[in-house]
Amino acid sequence: SWHKDIHPEILKAYMGETPQHVVEIATLLRDIAKQEKNTKGKLSKELGDTCKKSSHLAHSIKGTSATVGISPVANICQPLEEILDYASKNKLPPSLSILLSESANLLESLYDSLLSESTPPKEYPELYKKLNNWQQHLPADPLIEEEAVRQVKKNLPKTIDKVKEPQEKTNTDESNTNEGNADESKKERKFSLNFRPLEEVLPTPNVLSSPPVSAPTVQRTHLNETTLRVPVSVIDTLLGFSSELITANTQMANQMSELLAARQHINEHNDRIRTLLDELEWIVNQQNTLNVQQTTHKTKTNTNIKPDELQMDSLEMDSYNELHSITSLLSESIEDDRKMSLSLARQLNRLNAQAHTQKQLNHALNNTVLNMRMESVSILTPRLQRIVRETCRQTKKKAELEIIGEGIALDTDVIKGLVDPLLHLLRNAVDHGIEPANIRRQKSKDETGKIQLKFTQLGDQITLILNDDGAGIDADVLYQAAIKKGLITDDATLSKEEKLRLILLAGFSTRDKVTETSGRGVGMDVVNLAVQNLSGKLSIDSTKDKGTEIRIQVPLTLSAANILLVDVLGNTLAIPNSSIQQIYYVKKNSVTQKKQQLFIEFQQKQIPLLALSSLLSWTTSRLISDKSQPVLIIEHRSKHIALYVDQVLKPLNITIKTLKPWMTSITGVNGVCLLPDGVVAPVLNLFDLLHTSIQRALQAPINMTDSTAINVNKNKILVVDDSLSNRTALRLMLEAQGHEVGTAVDGADALQQLEKTPFKLVITDLEMPNMNGLEMVESLRIWTETKDLPIIMVTSRSTTKHRTLARQAGVDEYLTKPVDSSTLQATIEQVETKKLEKVGK
């Protein structure tokens, strides 16, 4: 622990820079020990420089640790600095090289204890004593010893007393003693280093007596390799702002799309007006031509008509001129509207391009901020290597750890969440997997076991594969142990993979005796839970006497994810794509039922079909058996499960916001995300939900029905009209009569809605863009689900020709605009009666 009254800024700086220094000096100490062991003869310049660098680091760590009051670290660095000073000039004996390696492990363990606010490791007192007596390992030759003392004396820090020599005479006579006597005295002199007790320099606490004093919370910081240190809290704040920008930009883009769509509708409306105006001009011209022809005919047949009688009277001329004037003004107005619409379109297109550019910048900003949260996997390497060494020492085994792909960068939260699982797995690999040297020789294996940890990245997922060449896991032994402990019944039939997964059960252990590393009942269940908390999954494969492979898949970051939006009982939910193996379309009438459970065929196997709503303890969603619909294929414990939802919406790339500190430990929820429409959707953890709720979901009541049972909606009418005013007028009229109304802007829009939502009746216009009323009716009459759907056409066309075309297309009733409320209601009742009579027959 540190001083209670230490300034927060000093402690913050210490916690920001010293851990990196510890990792660096531990690596250097191991290199020095290795080089000293392999070096024969004179000390190399390169090794001397490494020792000097390590000495400076030790001095720095000692000073900063003493400043904040962390005495155990400062006490270790004091003699360590002396050893390194000596090693920079002299070759170390083997015993001191071993002491350096042990010191590297101790320094890293001390900082682990500091960060976890626990007591120093149990090997601290013994190693501390060895370091304080390091001079005992020096050569016994007096001349060499004298040189060693001179070098140490030269480089000792000021806090250490000078080397005490025998008392010399102070008077002139004594100082002038003959040279021979002086030389003789020098030969007999015994050199020794007399240091002041370290307690006088750096107070040594009772490091094993009591837990550390509760220290103020200090925000850990990340070191930039140049000059900048940025707290994680600042990065999280920037990430929040970045996600808000992306959401705002998406909302703006959606509004822009709506504006462009509205502009397109205006253009189409203007085109229709222009067409009508062209028809009006044609009719006027035709009428004018007809009048001229009639006048000419009268002139030819009646020679008694005077010339002035061939002229139009003033009233006819005024009417004709006024009609042409209005037509001309309408043409000019339409042309002006067209030009303004084109100008508006250009402006909207420029604005849309700017919005697109801003979207790219926002995503670049978001990715940059996310990358600031990333750290290389190599930051874990010292701890992982150390746990293997320490476990080998405790179990008296030999093993080497090889790490592949340590250059991959992960989110800091993911790295933090992986530390404990990886340490546990590596400890198990040595303790349970790697055999003792004599047994490995009997199996024709190398005495040193091989452990490999491989990191690979695929998209936004990271896969960790841990292999060892040890004894492997006997699946049958696990099976019998689980039966003995009452975790499963003796009649349970399990595959090899299911037997191996028994090791993940809580409290499961194959050791009957508690040791320093095993048998405490805290096992792989904790590892599995930690992986699930990271929205990951774990799988095990093992072969007896060949080794074990443990595969872990986790997301690259917990702050952002590619998700799939789904609708469940009217609620929008977000599911990470990494949880979904496939979106699979189930054919109609292909769902089977066995013993109150639903199954579908997937990859030539029958897999269970569950409702996502039942995993959430909601009312079970209805499954429409006679309609093709998508389901989500999930891989759970090496088995496939299908989840059905009410509707699959769309994929998105979102930023996940944590619910802490207000809401914690919510089963099956990783956080929330803000959607472009402003809706807050929970981000589900499917593996957690399946782990905790699958049995309840399997026992949930089945709610399976066909489309005819849900298509009955007595007050659902779809109004299809391209004119906003007409749609609004019909909607208000129908709602006043007690009907529930939906609207569509044209035939294509209506078909999309009818495919998703059942309607009782359709009221449609005739002339519409994209798809007119006749084309829509013909399409509906082809569909099996809508071939008998009542359709009323309301249009301004009243000619016999149009009525005939409507009847041929399949329209039930034909009304001309304007239509009043009573006529519309009577027509609706009439078509409903006809439908009931048809159903009765």
Side-chain angles (χ1 to χ4, degrees):
S1 63
W2 46 80
H3 290 316
K4 294 181 179 179
D5 56 350
I6 188 69
H7 194 283
E9 289 295 327
I10 297 177
L11 186 58
K12 183 177 180 180
Y14 177 81
M15 299 298 289
E17 66 179 2
T18 309
Q20 184 66 27
H21 290 169
V22 170
V23 172
E24 186 178 356
I25 193 174
T27 303
L28 291 174
L29 289 175
R30 294 190 186 99
D31 289 343
I32 292 171
K34 186 176 181 180
Q35 292 183 46
E36 287 279 6
K37 181 179 179 181
N38 298 329
T39 300
K40 296 181 180 180
K42 192 176 180 181
L43 183 73
S44 67
K45 183 178 183 302
E46 181 182 356
L47 181 57
D49 293 340
T50 303
C51 292
K52 289 179 181 179
K53 181 179 180 181
S54 302
S55 175
H56 294 158
L57 276 173
H59 182 78
S60 176
I61 295 172
K62 178 189 70 176
T64 54
S65 299
T67 301
V68 297
I70 304 177
S71 302
V73 176
N75 292 343
I76 290 295
C77 290
Q78 170 64 49
L80 193 59
E81 183 183 356
E82 299 168 9
I83 297 174
L84 292 170
D85 285 337
Y86 174 81
S88 64
K89 301 292 183 180
N90 305 276
K91 190 178 186 310
L92 290 179
S95 56
L96 277 182
S97 297
I98 296 174
L99 189 60
L100 286 182
S101 296
E102 294 175 348
S103 300
N105 295 338
L106 180 62
L107 273 174
E108 292 175 329
S109 298
L110 278 172
Y111 265 86
D112 288 343
S113 300
L114 176 64
L115 298 179
S116 60
E117 299 187 20
S118 59
T119 56
K122 62 181 182 180
E123 61 267 21
Y124 177 85
E126 182 181 354
L127 190 55
Y128 174 68
K129 183 178 179 181
K130 289 181 180 179
L131 285 171
N132 279 331
N133 297 319
W134 70 271
Q135 299 91 350
Q136 296 178 358
H137 299 272
L138 295 180
D141 185 76
L143 295 179
I144 299 179
E145 185 173 301
E146 180 180 357
E147 177 62 22
V149 170
R150 186 179 296 109
Q151 294 298 332
V152 173
K153 179 179 178 181
K154 179 180 179 181
N155 295 283
L156 280 179
K158 295 180 180 180
T159 55
I160 305 300
D161 284 347
K162 296 182 178 180
V163 178
K164 294 182 179 180
E165 299 181 358
Q167 183 69 36
E168 297 187 5
K169 298 179 181 180
T170 56
N171 55 46
T172 306
D173 294 337
E174 292 173 337
S175 62
N176 292 329
T177 303
N178 63 65
E179 186 176 352
N181 292 336
D183 292 339
E184 186 66 25
S185 174
K186 185 175 182 180
K187 290 180 181 179
E188 296 177 353
R189 188 181 306 159
K190 298 291 184 180
F191 282 87
S192 62
L193 294 173
N194 296 310
F195 300 101
R196 280 166 43 194
L198 289 175
E199 290 79 2
E200 297 179 15
V201 182
L202 298 169
T204 305
N206 186 359
V207 297
L208 298 177
S209 60
S210 59
V213 179
S214 177
T217 301
V218 177
Q219 180 65 52
R220 298 284 309 279
T221 59
H222 291 279
L223 288 177
N224 187 292
E225 291 184 355
T226 54
T227 58
L228 183 64
R229 297 191 188 106
V230 182
V232 176
S233 59
V234 174
I235 297 177
D236 290 339
T237 302
L238 289 175
L239 187 60
F241 289 149
S242 176
S243 62
E244 293 291 344
L245 278 176
I246 290 178
T247 301
N249 182 262
T250 305
Q251 291 174 342
M252 184 177 65
N254 289 344
Q255 294 175 0
M256 190 68 60
S257 299
E258 293 176 0
L259 284 175
L260 291 172
R263 195 265 309 171
Q264 181 64 26
H265 290 155
I266 291 174
N267 285 345
E268 293 172 354
H269 182 69
N270 287 341
D271 290 340
R272 290 194 298 274
I273 294 177
R274 182 66 192 178
T275 301
L276 293 174
L277 184 59
D278 291 341
E279 291 182 5
L280 177 60
E281 289 179 346
W282 182 82
I283 292 173
V284 170
N285 292 331
Q286 285 293 104
Q287 187 64 39
N288 183 34
T289 303
L290 182 59
N291 290 337
V292 171
Q293 291 175 351
Q294 289 176 351
T295 303
T296 304
H297 180 70
K298 288 181 181 181
T299 304
K300 291 181 179 179
T301 56
N302 191 351
T303 57
N304 296 324
I305 297 178
K306 297 179 179 180
D308 56 346
E309 292 178 351
L310 295 176
Q311 304 293 329
M312 292 183 183
D313 59 24
S314 58
L315 182 59
E316 290 177 328
M317 181 59 72
D318 290 342
S319 299
Y320 180 77
N321 291 336
E322 185 177 357
L323 183 60
H324 270 279
S325 297
I326 293 174
T327 305
S328 178
L329 289 174
L330 284 174
S331 298
E332 293 176 2
S333 298
I334 293 298
E335 184 63 22
D336 292 342
D337 287 344
R338 189 183 69 83
K339 291 180 179 180
M340 287 188 291
S341 178
L342 289 175
S343 176
L344 177 62
R346 286 192 294 268
Q347 294 178 13
L348 286 176
N349 288 333
R350 285 197 295 267
L351 189 58
N352 190 42
Q354 292 177 357
H356 182 70
T357 302
Q358 185 180 0
K359 180 180 179 180
Q360 292 179 323
L361 291 174
N362 287 341
H363 280 289
L365 172 63
N366 191 67
N367 291 335
T368 302
V369 177
L370 281 175
N371 289 336
M372 293 173 66
R373 289 181 53 89
M374 298 293 183
E375 283 188 318
S376 172
V377 174
S378 59
I379 195 174
L380 297 176
T381 301
R383 297 188 66 179
L384 301 181
Q385 295 282 6
R386 188 173 74 254
I387 195 65
V388 172
R389 290 192 300 269
E390 290 181 355
T391 309
C392 286
R393 178 179 57 80
Q394 293 168 0
T395 58
K396 298 180 180 180
K397 297 180 180 179
K398 296 180 179 180
E400 292 179 351
L401 173 63
E402 179 187 14
I403 301 178
I404 301 175
E406 58 184 346
I408 292 177
L410 292 176
D411 189 285
T412 53
D413 290 338
V414 177
I415 289 182
K416 183 178 179 181
L418 284 174
V419 171
D420 289 338
L422 286 178
L423 294 179
H424 191 99
L425 290 173
L426 289 172
R427 191 182 298 112
N428 278 356
V430 176
D431 187 30
H432 294 275
I434 303 299
E435 309 96 329
N438 58 337
I439 296 179
R440 290 183 66 86
R441 284 195 298 269
Q442 295 174 7
K443 294 181 179 181
S444 300
K445 294 183 180 181
D446 194 317
E447 290 186 3
T448 302
K450 305 297 182 184
I451 303 175
Q452 184 187 85
L453 177 61
K454 184 177 181 180
F455 294 85
T456 58
Q457 179 179 351
L458 181 61
D460 59 352
Q461 294 292 301
I462 296 295
T463 301
L464 294 76
I465 304 175
L466 180 64
N467 286 295
D468 67 69
D469 64 347
I473 303 175
D474 192 327
D476 292 328
V477 171
L478 293 180
Y479 179 67
Q480 295 299 326
I483 293 176
K484 182 179 178 181
K485 294 177 180 293
L487 299 175
I488 59 173
T489 59
D490 54 2
D491 59 347
T493 303
L494 303 178
S495 64
K496 177 186 175 182
E497 195 167 3
E498 290 172 332
K499 290 178 180 178
L500 289 173
R501 290 193 67 85
L502 291 172
I503 202 172
L504 302 179
L505 295 177
F508 186 89
S509 177
T510 56
R511 292 288 175 89
D512 297 326
K513 183 179 179 181
V514 177
T515 66
E516 190 175 357
T517 58
S518 302
R520 297 183 298 276
V522 180
M524 289 292 292
D525 61 311
V526 177
V527 175
N528 192 37
L529 180 61
V531 172
Q532 289 178 354
N533 290 337
L534 294 174
S535 300
K537 57 183 179 180
L538 181 148
S539 61
I540 304 174
D541 186 23
S542 183
T543 303
K544 188 177 180 180
D545 291 332
K546 296 294 183 180
T548 301
E549 177 181 288
I550 297 179
R551 183 182 296 263
I552 297 175
Q553 182 177 326
V554 294
L556 188 66
T557 175
L558 299 179
S559 301
N562 293 312
I563 56 97
L564 178 70
L565 292 181
V566 298
D567 179 86
V568 177
L569 298 176
N571 301 290
T572 302
L573 306 175
I575 303 176
N577 289 344
S578 57
S579 305
I580 304 171
Q581 180 175 337
Q582 184 179 344
I583 298 178
Y584 182 73
Y585 277 83
V586 180
K587 297 179 181 179
K588 62 181 181 179
N589 299 321
S590 63
V591 179
T592 58
Q593 184 174 344
K594 300 177 183 178
K595 297 181 180 181
Q596 297 300 312
Q597 290 185 11
L598 300 181
F599 294 86
I600 65 170
E601 185 175 347
F602 176 72
Q603 294 181 351
Q604 299 180 348
K605 294 181 180 180
Q606 292 289 319
I607 65 173
L609 178 63
L610 306 178
L612 178 56
S613 56
S614 62
L615 290 176
L616 300 169
S617 301
W618 295 352
T619 304
T620 306
S621 300
R622 283 189 291 191
L623 173 67
I624 307 174
S625 59
D626 61 345
K627 183 179 179 181
S628 177
Q629 57 187 323
V631 296
L632 310 180
I633 303 297
I634 312 298
E635 186 177 355
H636 175 62
R637 294 181 177 177
S638 303
K639 291 185 177 180
H640 290 110
I641 294 175
L643 293 179
Y644 68 88
V645 296
D646 294 335
Q647 189 177 355
V648 175
L649 300 177
K650 61 179 178 180
L652 276 181
N653 188 6
I654 52 91
T655 299
I656 301 176
K657 297 180 178 294
T658 180
L659 296 175
K660 298 177 182 179
W662 305 281
M663 303 173 70
T664 57
S665 302
I666 302 178
T667 302
V669 177
N670 287 338
V672 297
C673 61
L674 184 62
L675 303 182
D677 57 0
V679 173
V680 176
V683 181
L684 301 184
N685 185 335
L686 286 185
F687 301 123
D688 192 13
L689 284 174
L690 290 170
H691 177 71
T692 58
S693 308
I694 188 170
Q695 293 301 324
R696 181 177 66 244
L698 290 171
Q699 298 172 2
I702 298 173
N703 194 355
M704 186 168 61
T705 183
D706 55 29
S707 57
T708 59
I710 64 171
N711 281 351
V712 179
N713 193 331
K714 296 181 180 180
N715 296 319
K716 192 71 173 180
I717 296 176
L718 179 63
V719 174
V720 188
D721 200 311
D722 61 314
S723 172
L724 176 60
S725 57
N726 287 338
R727 286 200 310 271
T728 304
L730 285 173
R731 179 179 60 81
L732 294 175
M733 189 183 300
L734 292 169
E735 288 177 346
Q737 295 172 3
H739 299 289
E740 184 179 352
V741 183
T743 60
V745 297
D746 53 37
D749 185 20
L751 291 181
Q752 292 178 358
Q753 294 194 41
L754 285 165
E755 185 179 6
K756 299 177 182 178
T757 307
F759 287 90
K760 166 198 168 181
L761 183 142
V762 174
I763 299 175
T764 180
D765 189 14
L766 173 60
E767 297 175 311
M768 295 179 292
N770 297 328
M771 178 181 284
N772 61 41
L774 295 177
E775 295 170 338
M776 181 196 71
V777 174
E778 290 173 350
S779 299
L780 292 177
R781 292 312 182 212
I782 296 174
W783 291 359
T784 304
E785 295 85 355
T786 58
K787 65 179 181 178
D788 297 324
L789 179 65
I791 301 174
I792 300 174
M793 184 165 284
V794 180
T795 177
S796 57
R797 298 293 186 178
S798 59
T799 63
T800 304
K801 172 186 174 182
H802 291 96
R803 289 178 181 272
T804 302
L805 290 174
R807 293 292 182 185
Q808 291 175 351
V811 173
D812 294 286
E813 293 294 334
Y814 192 96
L815 300 177
T816 56
K817 298 178 182 178
V819 61
D820 58 78
S821 177
S822 58
T823 302
L824 184 60
Q825 180 61 29
T827 306
I828 292 174
E829 293 175 356
Q830 182 179 350
V831 296
E832 286 180 343
T833 303
K834 288 182 179 180
K835 180 179 180 180
L836 291 175
E837 291 176 352
K838 186 175 181 180
V839 172
K841 293 179 181 180

